Amino acid sequence: MRGPEDLVIDVGALLEKVENAAPIAAVEAVAGALREMVAARSAALLIADFSGHSVVRLTSAGPVSGARTHDGEQAETLPLEGTPYDRVIRTQRVHVEELGDGARVLAPVTDRGDAIGVLELVLPGYPSADDVADIGSAAHALAYVVIAARRHTDVFEWGQRSTPFALAAEIQRRLLPASYTCEAGQFTLAGWLEPAGSVGGDTFDYTLERNALHLSITDAVGHQVEAALLATLLVGSLRNGRRRGLDLAAQAAYANDSLADNCLPGQFVTGQLLDLDLRTGAARVVNAGHTLPLRLRDGHVEEIDLRVEPPFGVLPGKSFQVQPFPLEPGDRIVFLTDGMLERNAATLDVAAALADSADLHPREVVHELGGAVLRATGHDLKDDATMVCLDWYGGPQRDRSTELGADPSRASTVARPE
């Protein structure tokens, strides 16, 4: 390895190589450049798969035993639990382990708290602190490479799918936000969806403006393609109303009438729409027949009592009440769908599971709750189980304090044992 006085990794040169490569070869271009810059024996991206329980090593070089293949591409799925990859994703810290004749470095590939994956390098010697810092910076840059490249190719999406998607799941996937996690100065949020064997039409969504956070969680009646198409209409109308500048009440009314005008009788969607003013900390909500959210405050979990109105699509021309949403700094709010509580998931004590996850990052909270509902149902969900975890810190609007794409103060304080 080079001495600390040398620049080990030139991020600008990495990005130039990416721009010169085809989108499908973007990660390979980074890996090749890193091997040259730090004399690495190997370099690879392990991308988080859609199950939340594995990472996938993408490569097109040489046959890999047990890997999925597609048009020359290979995806090797590796379970996360109890591995150094899991520790890196949970703690968002670079991990270095000594090998007999070198070292392995694992660095988080993260953007705004969204854990995209892990960069793995095998080096000929043990890295210095400066080397580790430069590798961490390269991994952070790699997050933006993946974000940009996957707009132009299906390879990353294919790699993340350890299990093939049915048509309904494909439609549902398009309704979810591009990033499931977002860290900001005043809050952190993360969402997750555990799909049923027959997709149940759940969705969640959010968008962040300069002075406001908008969040929604919805559940369309029915299953499979019918439910996915109904959810598409609802989410599309909510996004269209929001982007037209409608206020919360008008968004709800517009979505309601869009369903009533375009759906058959008996088709409806439950949902909650939340607006959070980042200047004042005041939050407002519309509750259209949806499961009540949970709040963790001072170690205690309780349901938030909201007025329940009819679901979207039931009463044409209805006006929805915008209710104040009780929110204080330090609160953790979990919005959820009834798949977390009903049918064969009813044995899960969601409140207890939420209390037990108090020390975890919201990204880990939703994974833990998703894992808990899968265990409670014997991995045979009868309805989609969806959740959004919002940590509200409050205070004035401000920037985050970050390292390598994540706020270290918000990383999970515990990791599964290796």
Side-chain angles (χ1 to χ4, degrees):
M1 298 292 291
R2 303 178 190 181
E5 69 278 6
D6 298 317
L7 176 63
V8 176
I9 294 175
D10 184 343
V11 173
L14 286 180
L15 297 180
E16 184 175 355
K17 287 182 180 292
V18 168
E19 282 296 317
N20 292 336
I24 198 171
V27 172
E28 289 182 347
V30 171
L34 286 172
R35 284 194 295 269
E36 294 175 6
M37 292 177 181
V38 298
R41 293 171 181 158
S42 65
L45 167 68
L46 294 96
I47 194 165
D49 81 346
F50 287 136
S51 76
H53 307 297
S54 304
V55 287
V56 178
R57 182 183 284 115
L58 298 174
T59 180
S60 61
V64 178
S65 176
R68 290 178 289 122
T69 60
H70 173 72
D71 195 25
E73 306 301 322
Q74 298 181 91
E76 180 188 10
T77 302
L78 304 172
L80 265 179
E81 187 169 1
T83 69
Y85 306 120
D86 188 25
R87 181 173 293 275
V88 169
I89 289 175
R90 281 175 168 260
T91 65
Q92 290 296 295
R93 299 285 188 182
V94 177
H95 172 83
V96 183
E97 60 184 74
E98 190 170 4
L99 303 177
D101 56 352
R104 181 169 70 144
V105 181
L106 306 177
V109 178
T110 301
D111 165 56
R112 291 194 173 274
D114 185 27
I116 294 170
V118 177
L119 172 64
E120 180 180 53
L121 294 175
V122 176
L123 307 176
Y126 200 87
S128 68
D130 286 350
D131 294 336
V132 171
D134 281 343
I135 290 170
S137 295
H140 187 200
L142 183 55
Y144 293 96
V145 170
V146 173
I147 291 168
R150 66 185 175 191
R151 296 182 303 168
H152 308 291
T153 176
D154 280 341
V155 166
F156 300 100
E157 182 86 13
W158 165 77
Q160 289 179 277
R161 298 184 179 191
S162 301
T163 302
F165 279 23
L167 174 58
E170 188 72 55
I171 297 170
Q172 184 184 48
R173 162 76 178 145
R174 301 276 72 81
L175 303 178
L176 302 179
S179 173
Y180 291 1
T181 302
C182 180
E183 291 180 350
Q186 295 164 288
F187 69 87
T188 296
L189 71 80
W192 193 250
L193 186 156
E194 291 287 355
S198 56
V199 170
D202 282 12
T203 72
F204 67 90
D205 196 18
Y206 71 89
T207 187
L208 180 60
E209 297 181 357
R210 188 179 301 276
N211 296 313
L213 169 67
H214 307 285
L215 184 153
S216 68
I217 186 166
T218 62
D219 183 0
V221 67
H223 292 279
Q224 297 294 18
V225 172
E226 181 182 25
L229 293 177
L230 185 59
T232 298
L233 181 57
L234 188 280
V235 173
S237 63
L238 288 176
R239 288 174 174 168
N240 183 242
R242 190 180 69 219
R243 292 163 182 169
R244 289 169 56 186
L246 301 183
D247 63 20
L248 194 61
Q251 288 175 39
Y254 179 62
N256 179 70
D257 290 345
S258 296
L259 261 64
D261 292 344
N262 294 282
C263 295
L264 297 174
Q267 291 186 308
F268 61 86
V269 181
T270 71
Q272 284 162 357
L273 316 180
L274 179 83
D275 273 1
L276 174 53
D277 190 322
L278 300 177
R279 295 164 298 188
T280 65
R284 306 180 307 154
V285 67
V286 168
N287 185 26
H290 200 75
T291 305
L292 295 177
L294 300 176
R295 177 178 57 216
L296 174 62
R297 177 184 289 174
D298 297 329
H300 302 288
V301 177
E302 59 183 350
E303 268 188 349
I304 298 178
D305 187 23
L306 300 174
R307 177 184 174 188
V308 181
E309 298 192 82
F312 298 117
V314 172
L315 299 176
K318 175 176 171 50
S319 296
F320 287 82
Q321 179 185 3
V322 176
Q323 307 174 57
F325 189 89
L327 191 63
E328 295 181 4
D331 282 354
R332 168 168 285 176
I333 309 295
V334 172
F335 303 90
L336 63 166
T337 60
D338 60 12
M340 293 289 297
L341 304 170
E342 295 182 350
R343 301 186 185 184
N344 62 336
T347 58
L348 173 65
D349 188 339
V350 178
L354 177 58
D356 290 343
S357 65
D359 292 333
L360 299 181
H361 188 285
R363 176 185 57 242
E364 307 302 327
V365 171
V366 294
H367 286 179
E368 289 291 324
L369 292 177
V373 75
L374 285 177
R375 291 189 294 272
T377 60
H379 292 260
D380 182 26
L381 279 172
K382 302 304 183 186
D383 196 6
D384 292 349
T386 305
M387 63 226 89
V388 177
C389 179
L390 171 67
D391 280 3
W392 174 244
Y393 312 118
Q397 290 179 272
R398 58 193 183 276
D399 293 333
R400 297 153 62 225
S401 174
T402 65
E403 293 178 13
L404 310 181
D407 186 336
S409 69
R410 301 179 189 177
S412 294
T413 57
V414 296
R416 297 187 185 101
E418 296 173 18

